[in-house]
Every structure is written in C-alpha cells, then in structure tokens.
C-alpha cells in the first residue's frame, strides 16, 4: 500500500466530476453510499496498519503523517509563495493575487503581491479550531467550543450518537464522526 494514503470522497475535489455530473454523463454516489464507502475504506486501511489521522488521510505510523497539513490544523504559521498562495502568522491571514500578471507586476515593481489581508478575531480562531480539529484524530480543545446551551446540547447529542468522545480535555471525532465532520462542526459552533 505504501506509507501514506489520501482518500477524497468529495466530488468537489475534482471540478471535472461536477461538470460531468451536471451534464448527466456521471452519476455521483448518494450520501448513504458515500458514507458506506468512507467507513469501509477506513476500516480496511486500519485493519492493514494505517492510522486514520484526518478525514481523508491515512498513514502507516506517525512518522508518515503529512507535516504540511498539520501546520494548518494546529494553527502554526505558514508562508505561501506564488499566485493564489495563502499565508498565516500571528492571527493574520493574507493571500496573493490569483492573476499571474498582477503577481509578476507587483514583484517587478518591488511590492508584495498580496491581494488581501484579514486579522482573525478570537471567535474566528475558535471557529477554525473547531472545524479543523473535528477533521482529524487530534480533535479540538474543549475551550474552543462555545458554552452556549445549544452548543452544549449538540455536544451531548454527538457523544450519545458516538460521533465524538471526550479525551484529555479534547473533543475527538470517532470514525463515524469523521464522516460528518463539517456538519458536526457547524452544530457545535455558534
């Protein structure tokens, strides 16, 4: 199998799939079929020694986990180079021009090729931590979760439905929870 596997179930990963589906030349699996495929794939790879450490990633041990992706999940700073590249540092995010022409013109004139910047509020940082944390096996720190009655009720329901567990002060998605990680994050956020 190799040391690392990516398994993307979302047709949005390939715009050509969406185009073909719109044209009626490709039938995409329904939600239940996608769920069954996801769970079967996860079970199969784990039975063969892989760790399911992120929604669509498996590694044959921690040393083979994508260090690149882990920077995003942990909120570590990163620098993106090239057109459309995104960067993050000290709670701020910025992205370069998408247009190669604009990108080159900025560099040629000694200006940074940054199209836009944003500073994240504490609420935005926590929201990102919940969304990213529920997509990987490390989970998310409980302190990032809203304490609103609705969020607490949703967390209780997610635990009862075995979508998440609480371990060492963190909300950790189960295999079933990874299937619906994005929806789960929406429910647990205000």
């Amino acid at each position: 199998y190799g040391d690392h596997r990516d398994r993307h179930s979302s047709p949005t990963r390939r715009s050509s799939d969406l185009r073909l589906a719109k044209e009626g030349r490709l039938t995409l699996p329904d939600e239940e079929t996608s769920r069954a495929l996801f769970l079967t794939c996860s079970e199969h790879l784990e039975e063969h020694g892989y760790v399911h450490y992120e929604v669509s990633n498996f590694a044959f041990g921690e040393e083979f986990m994508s260090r690149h992706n882990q920077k995003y999940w942990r909120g570590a700073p990163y620098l993106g180079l090239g057109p459309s590249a995104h960067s993050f540092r000290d709670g701020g995010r910025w992205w370069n021009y998408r247009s190669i022409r604009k990108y080159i013109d900025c560099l040629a004139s000694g200006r940074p090729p940054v199209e836009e910047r944003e500073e994240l509020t504490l609420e935005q940082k926590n929201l990102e931590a919940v969304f990213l944390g529920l997509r990987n096996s490390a989970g998310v720190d409980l302190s990032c979760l809203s304490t609103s009655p609705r969020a607490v009720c949703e967390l209780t329901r997610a635990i009862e439905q075995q979508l998440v567990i609480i371990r060492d002060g963190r909300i950790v998605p189960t295999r079933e929870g990874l299937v619906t990680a994005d929806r789960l994050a929406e429910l647990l956020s205000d």
Side-chain angles (χ1 to χ4, degrees), residues 3-6 51 53-54 56-74:
D3 299 325
H4 189 273
R5 288 280 167 259
D6 290 329
V51 177
Y53 71 97
E54 198 265 346
S56 59
N57 289 287
F58 300 81
F60 202 65
E62 281 191 34
E63 65 272 24
F64 299 111
M65 291 180 182
S66 169
R67 288 179 297 224
H68 171 83
N69 289 350
Q70 289 181 39
K71 286 185 170 258
Y72 305 130
W73 303 328
R74 294 183 178 147

Side-chain angles (χ1 to χ4, degrees), residues 75-77 87-94 117-122 124-125 128:
S87 302
F88 178 79
R89 187 179 67 206
D90 300 328
R93 182 174 18 241
W94 62 97
R117 299 176 187 272
E118 67 180 345
E119 292 298 318
L120 301 179
T121 66
L122 180 59
Q124 289 171 316
K125 289 177 192 175
E128 279 195 12

